[in-house]
Amino acid sequence: MDDIFHEPELLIDGAATLAEGPCWHAERNRLLWVDIEENRLHLYDPAANRNDTVQFDRHVSAAVPTADGNILLAMRNGMFLYDESSGMLRLVADPEARIPTNRFNDGKCDPAGRFWAGTMSMTGEAEAGSLYRLDRKGKVAKMVSGLTISNGLGWSPDYATMYLVDSKIRQVFAFDFDVESGNIANRRPIIRFAPEDGLPDGMAVDENGMLWIAHWDGGKVSCFDPKRGRIVDVIRFPARKVTSCAFGGERLDELYVTTAKSGPGEPEDRYGGSLFRVKLGVKGMPTFEYRQEN
């Protein structure tokens, strides 16, 4: 396959330690993204080229807009609602309160407005993580067990398939998905990363059903055809630890990409921790909001 050349645009240079979880907030034309290690939520307005930051006292690993104007966060010790106007955090659920060595990682909402978020061990314990579903009535259910690093999530354009990354074992899984009930079934691996490609991290799904997957330690985002498990496009970045991506912009044809800085003992990465944007000829799936029922 010949790479199609894409020119990444540097939006914010090195502002994060572990940038993750980009999520387009269409109602306000802005990007939500987080810095897990520095406990920060970032709010980027591309029209004004302005990035506001909210500092928390704990890890924050994912952020999604809610239908009532708040932000739902996956944090180290549970799922929280954040009210921007007051700055107040309210605990919604902490399903792993008895596992203090775990933290939440990536999270997204499904097409029906439920929030899905997975966990991982902070001590490197294998298969210690799980994937949880927060329904619209605020009830949490464990949907998948035995994950090592629960990561990227996405849904096919027909809503019939859900995708999930387990980074440590270098695999992307597909599930049959029932949009009415929120149930999943028939877990199967569809993509396996080779060691030289790094680890699969966050992902985004486009309107054609292709999966755009970030390569941690691979310096790129690859576009996969999930039916064939084949790469159909590649975007290369000047940062090695590419963490996640999300479609945004008014036409949903811009891919926002997060990266992380080098770790201890690793060579310095000039653009690690930066936020990038790539303008593509394809549109992404819209961001789904969390829609809580009273």
Side-chain angles (χ1 to χ4, degrees):
M1 183 203 72
D2 294 329
D3 290 359
I4 302 170
F5 181 73
H6 300 283
E7 182 65 43
E9 176 187 1
L10 177 64
L11 297 178
I12 302 176
D13 188 355
T17 299
L18 177 51
E20 268 282 9
C23 177
W24 182 251
H25 189 179
E27 184 175 333
R28 298 185 60 175
N29 290 312
R30 65 180 182 175
L31 186 78
L32 311 180
W33 58 293
V34 301
D35 184 346
I36 299 177
E37 291 297 328
E38 303 300 333
N39 309 336
R40 292 171 183 159
L41 168 66
H42 292 277
L43 309 165
Y44 176 67
D45 178 350
N49 192 29
R50 173 178 171 176
N51 189 66
D52 294 324
T53 301
V54 182
Q55 182 72 54
F56 295 106
D57 62 356
R58 68 202 78 182
H59 292 329
V60 53
S61 57
V64 298
T66 69
D68 61 1
N70 293 315
I71 298 175
L72 182 60
L73 304 173
M75 305 191 84
R76 173 172 177 168
N77 57 333
M79 304 172 184
F80 290 78
L81 277 172
Y82 172 65
D83 184 329
E84 277 188 82
S85 60
S86 68
M88 296 295 293
L89 271 179
R90 178 172 68 83
L91 177 65
V92 176
D94 186 7
E96 294 195 347
R98 297 184 180 181
I99 314 177
T101 53
N102 273 11
R103 70 163 174 83
F104 270 94
N105 201 38
D106 206 359
K108 283 183 182 175
C109 286
D110 71 23
R114 309 174 193 93
F115 182 57
W116 297 68
T119 60
M120 58 176 283
S121 169
M122 293 184 290
T123 61
E125 183 181 351
E127 300 183 356
S130 298
L131 179 69
Y132 295 90
R133 184 194 67 201
L134 176 69
D135 70 18
R136 294 173 60 173
K137 294 184 178 180
K139 182 179 179 181
V140 175
K142 182 187 291 188
M143 304 302 292
V144 183
S145 301
L147 300 170
T148 300
I149 301 179
S150 181
N151 224 319
L153 288 156
W155 285 265
S156 61
D158 64 3
Y159 305 160
T161 306
M162 185 182 87
Y163 303 103
L164 170 68
V165 170
D166 189 337
S167 295
K168 190 65 175 180
I169 64 172
R170 304 178 190 272
Q171 292 193 35
V172 182
F173 296 95
F175 300 79
D176 296 337
F177 179 72
D178 186 312
V179 70
E180 294 298 324
S181 67
N183 290 330
I184 53 176
N186 189 26
R187 172 178 170 176
R188 65 249 182 217
I190 58 168
I191 298 168
R192 300 174 188 269
F193 271 40
E196 61 268 23
D197 286 329
L199 304 178
D201 204 323
M203 76 159 72
V205 182
D206 71 28
E207 63 179 0
N208 300 314
M210 301 295 106
L211 310 184
W212 297 77
I213 303 176
H215 291 240
W216 174 273
D217 272 337
K220 58 188 175 181
V221 170
S222 294
C223 176
F224 288 84
D225 180 340
K227 294 182 178 179
R228 296 187 175 96
R230 291 172 47 189
I231 295 176
V232 297
D233 199 354
V234 174
I235 308 171
R236 301 189 183 278
F237 291 85
R240 179 133 188 102
K241 297 184 184 298
V242 182
T243 58
S244 192
C245 55
F247 283 94
E250 292 185 1
R251 299 179 58 195
L252 291 179
D253 61 351
E254 300 172 347
L255 194 69
Y256 288 85
V257 180
T258 51
T259 64
K261 292 185 184 297
S262 302
E266 296 177 334
E268 184 179 354
D269 191 341
R270 165 66 181 84
Y271 291 103
S274 299
L275 176 69
F276 294 88
R277 177 174 59 195
V278 182
K279 296 187 177 181
L280 299 175
V282 63
K283 295 181 180 180
M285 293 285 290
T287 295
F288 303 113
E289 299 175 325
Y290 177 62
R291 298 183 174 275
Q292 187 170 15
E293 297 175 351
N294 294 325

